[in-house]
Amino acid sequence: METSEVKSLKKGINELPDEVLLQIISLLPMKEAVRTSVLSTRWRYLYASNS
């Protein structure tokens, strides 16, 4: 069961603009960037934009 803190954090991250998410993903190794695709449908192809 998720705590309210985890739910709040997820909400905050999902409200970031794509440019910010791309900047964060660009700092990750490719394998980890690909793993972000399971976090949200919105994140699904962001790692591909980083290539």
Side-chain angles (χ1 to χ4, degrees), residues 9-25 33-49:
L9 180 60
K10 283 183 177 181
K11 182 179 178 186
I13 290 172
N14 283 328
E15 291 178 357
L16 292 172
D18 285 350
E19 295 80 21
V20 174
L21 295 176
L22 284 169
Q23 184 66 32
I24 293 168
I25 290 172
V34 172
R35 287 182 177 182
T36 65
S37 66
V38 300
L39 297 176
S40 161
T41 54
R42 182 170 166 235
W43 289 53
R44 184 164 290 151
Y45 298 105
L46 284 175
Y47 78 89
S49 299

